[in-house]
Amino acid sequence: MKLPRHIPIFLMIKIIPILALTFGLITPSFAEERPPNVIIIFTDDQGYGDVGVYGAEGYETPHLDRMAAEGRQFTQWYASQPVCSASRTGLLSGCYSNRIGINGALGPGSRTGINSDETLLPEVFKSKGYATGMFGKWHLGDHEKFLPTNHGFDEYFGIPYSNDMWPQHPTAKHFPPLPLIQGTERLRSADEHDQRMMTTWLTAKAVDFINRNRETPFFLYVPHPQPHVPLYVSDRFAGTTENGIYGDVISEIDWSVGEILNAVSTNGLDEDTLVIFTCDNGPWLSYGTHAGSTGPLREGKGTSWEGGVREPCIMRWPGQIPAGTVCDTPGMNIDLLPTMAGLIGADLPERKIDGLDIWPVISGEDGAESPHDAYWFYYKQNELQAVMADGWKLVLPHTYRTLDGKETTDDGLPINYTNLKLEEIELYHLDEDIAEASNVAKEHPEMVAELMEHAEAARTELGDKLTKSTGSGNRPAGQLTEEEGQALDLINWPNGKPKR
């Protein structure tokens, strides 16, 4: 076998073991001893219908479609809550976020954040000697003690909360400048140029992290701030799609996915690396053409209807996840922590979590079923709004927001929602009614009764503000002291915190 004369050293490091395997110098089991790298790419407010293989229109996502062709597409993957901080808490902790005191979207200067007593996903990886890096949006508290490098990440660059929490917000004028943070250092306040370049920068940092850690197992988390409004895209992708700036943004995110996949391949890590793409919640529909599409699903972000919580999800790991397959078995972002712990042989957190190991489902094992009896859908301040089991979803009485047929705009400004009160329990057979269009509660009283048992189990464990139920399993979020809160306010608003 004749090799090219000029081969980068990192490729030589990969080629030598391959040649040794080819000529029988080492056994295949040696190559299998390395635990897998894991990459999670997590977008913000992207809709179920905003990826090519999920039916996107007006733009293409060739790299995500390639991921699906080389991996597994999940048609019933869920965010644990339909809003930023709560969903990210579920992903990183393996818990329903209300179990550990995180609700809604934490704002600048929040007195609460992730509790240091909780074990997060990067800490699980660190327990097995992994390098850990995060580049993107955090949103589990902006005080230094809540930041990523104090919760298991070796490296961090990004923003501490949503990209609209800055002085240019179209309706709220109390936000401070948006800080760019590296590690725990606030580098400067972000401007529009920084917003336009963010996807590019995060991609470059992710690729660099992969290149630098190719010889050691790593966990890489890339939570893009886009396509959350305000939408920003680099000049290279501006005006390149038929779907306006939203399509341009998704196209750039797809490019980013391609760059990350290429870095994995170039470093010879395809068969050593699990790559996961998913989103935090559904699209913010009140922003009109600056929001994504839920496809056939009902409602969007900020609701427990399918459009708020069912997300695109694609996983790729050549040799371990069957290529070109589609999985209809439900999964949720809370399941990733225990599944990853199982893959790398790490201990689960000492404190109770809600996720379960779903590797048989992910890997396409014959006959694999969800290990969950049910999934619980909470929103707002500990409101139990729905439960789901065995293809059926019971929607409990609550007030939800809807556009209710209103015309939206194309100027990036939101319109007001209408609040509707659901007075009675409703039942939907999701296997046959993905759009939640036909309430069949009266036709299936036995399923209503069965799902109500799951609802009562949720209330016993985590409580329910709607029924004034107190749970036995809730734990507090991290808290700032009065002095810490005042110091944080001074950093965020050096001229004084404005009244809301």
Side-chain angles (χ1 to χ4, degrees):
M1 182 180 192
K2 186 175 181 180
L3 297 176
R5 293 180 58 188
H6 301 291
I7 302 177
I9 186 64
F10 70 85
L11 286 181
M12 286 296 297
I13 292 171
K14 286 295 177 184
I15 288 172
I16 290 171
I18 293 171
L19 291 174
L21 276 170
T22 301
F23 294 102
L25 302 179
I26 59 176
T27 64
S29 61
F30 177 83
E32 294 169 2
E33 289 178 2
R34 173 178 172 142
N37 310 309
V38 177
I39 300 172
I40 298 177
I41 304 168
F42 201 60
T43 61
D44 197 339
D45 289 4
Q46 186 170 351
Y48 186 80
D50 291 337
V51 176
V53 292
Y54 288 86
E57 297 180 354
Y59 52 89
E60 297 179 348
T61 57
H63 301 293
L64 285 167
D65 295 351
R66 169 194 159 198
M67 264 192 76
E70 296 175 352
R72 193 159 170 83
Q73 175 187 354
F74 296 81
T75 63
Q76 205 170 351
W77 185 265
Y78 289 94
S80 51
Q81 281 208 29
V83 70
C84 302
S85 297
S87 177
R88 292 157 199 275
T89 298
L91 170 72
L92 292 173
S93 71
C95 297
Y96 292 116
S97 65
N98 47 310
R99 177 182 290 281
I100 58 176
I102 303 292
N103 298 290
L106 303 180
S110 173
R111 280 6 185 203
T112 61
I114 191 67
N115 195 315
S116 60
D117 291 334
E118 305 298 341
T119 301
L120 300 189
L121 190 53
E123 295 170 299
V124 171
F125 282 107
K126 289 298 292 181
S127 74
K128 302 301 288 185
Y130 274 61
T132 57
M134 175 189 166
F135 309 105
K137 169 182 162 180
W138 176 235
H139 221 166
L140 299 188
D142 64 321
H143 188 275
E144 180 176 335
K145 73 178 184 180
F146 297 142
L147 292 178
T149 53
N150 287 319
H151 292 275
F153 284 106
D154 299 326
E155 303 176 30
Y156 168 61
F157 171 82
I159 57 176
Y161 35 74
S162 296
N163 70 323
D164 68 335
M165 293 180 175
W166 69 334
Q168 289 93 318
H169 191 284
T171 59
K173 301 303 179 185
H174 61 279
F175 290 126
L178 176 65
L180 292 175
I181 297 179
Q182 183 163 290
T184 59
E185 180 185 359
R186 296 187 175 218
L187 300 177
R188 65 175 186 274
S189 297
D191 58 20
E192 290 195 331
H193 172 74
D194 298 321
Q195 293 256 31
R196 283 192 294 272
M197 293 302 298
M198 187 62 66
T199 300
T200 301
W201 290 342
L202 299 180
T203 305
K205 289 183 176 294
V207 169
D208 176 64
F209 180 83
I210 294 168
N211 292 339
R212 286 187 287 108
N213 290 286
R214 59 185 171 267
E215 296 302 325
T216 187
F218 63 79
F219 169 54
L220 171 62
Y221 176 44
V222 188
H224 286 286
Q226 293 292 317
H228 193 292
V229 291
L231 298 179
Y232 282 97
V233 67
S234 68
D235 291 343
R236 178 168 41 166
F237 288 90
T240 58
T241 71
E242 299 174 1
N243 203 30
I245 188 170
Y246 189 87
D248 300 345
V249 167
I250 299 299
S251 183
E252 184 165 33
I253 289 172
D254 181 74
W255 162 82
S256 174
V257 171
E259 291 297 295
I260 290 170
L261 293 177
N262 288 342
V264 170
S265 296
T266 300
N267 283 287
L269 298 175
D270 279 319
E271 294 185 359
D272 296 319
T273 306
L274 167 60
V275 183
I276 300 170
F277 174 89
T278 189
C279 317
D280 67 342
N281 48 250
W284 205 342
L285 297 176
S286 64
Y287 279 85
T289 59
H290 284 228
S293 167
T294 61
L297 308 180
R298 182 172 175 177
E299 301 300 343
K301 174 181 179 176
T303 78
S304 294
W305 300 103
E306 291 293 286
V309 291
R310 189 186 291 216
E311 306 305 322
C313 180
I314 303 169
M315 302 191 194
R316 174 188 183 269
W317 185 5
Q320 301 295 329
I321 292 177
T325 57
V326 176
C327 178
D328 298 325
T329 303
M332 186 177 278
N333 61 16
I334 59 173
D335 296 323
L336 289 180
L337 185 149
T339 302
M340 298 304 104
L343 280 178
I344 68 174
D347 292 334
L348 291 175
E350 292 183 5
R351 291 180 153 200
K352 184 174 182 178
I353 64 173
D354 298 293
L356 295 173
D357 187 340
I358 60 168
W359 179 246
V361 173
I362 291 173
S363 61
E365 183 178 305
D366 288 343
E369 297 180 353
S370 172
H372 287 271
D373 293 328
Y375 283 114
W376 306 338
F377 294 96
Y378 281 86
Y379 182 47
K380 297 182 179 177
Q381 297 295 317
N382 212 43
E383 292 185 7
L384 180 64
Q385 298 186 350
V387 294
M388 184 185 72
D390 300 322
W392 297 84
K393 182 175 177 181
L394 190 71
V395 183
L396 303 165
H398 69 280
T399 299
Y400 67 95
R401 69 187 192 183
T402 179
L403 293 179
D404 199 25
K406 293 179 181 178
E407 289 289 332
T408 57
T409 66
D410 59 4
D411 58 5
L413 298 177
I415 66 170
N416 293 326
Y417 286 99
T418 297
N419 289 322
L420 294 182
K421 188 172 183 179
L422 191 68
E423 299 284 358
E424 302 289 339
I425 287 172
E426 295 187 357
L427 177 69
Y428 297 93
H429 192 192
L430 295 178
D431 291 347
E432 299 178 357
D433 180 22
I434 191 174
E436 296 171 296
S438 299
N439 173 20
V440 293
K442 291 182 180 179
E443 291 84 350
H444 297 278
E446 76 289 351
M447 287 307 306
V448 172
E450 181 179 328
L451 288 166
M452 278 304 302
E453 291 181 5
H454 292 304
E456 289 305 322
R459 289 165 177 159
T460 298
E461 180 67 19
L462 298 181
D464 177 16
K465 183 178 180 181
L466 293 170
T467 58
K468 299 181 173 57
S469 303
T470 300
S472 61
N474 302 86
R475 305 193 289 265
Q479 300 287 334
L480 298 185
T481 65
E482 184 176 350
E483 292 78 12
E484 288 172 332
Q486 291 174 349
L488 182 58
D489 285 348
L490 189 59
I491 292 171
N492 283 328
W493 296 276
N495 297 321
K497 186 175 180 179
K499 293 182 179 180
R500 297 186 63 170

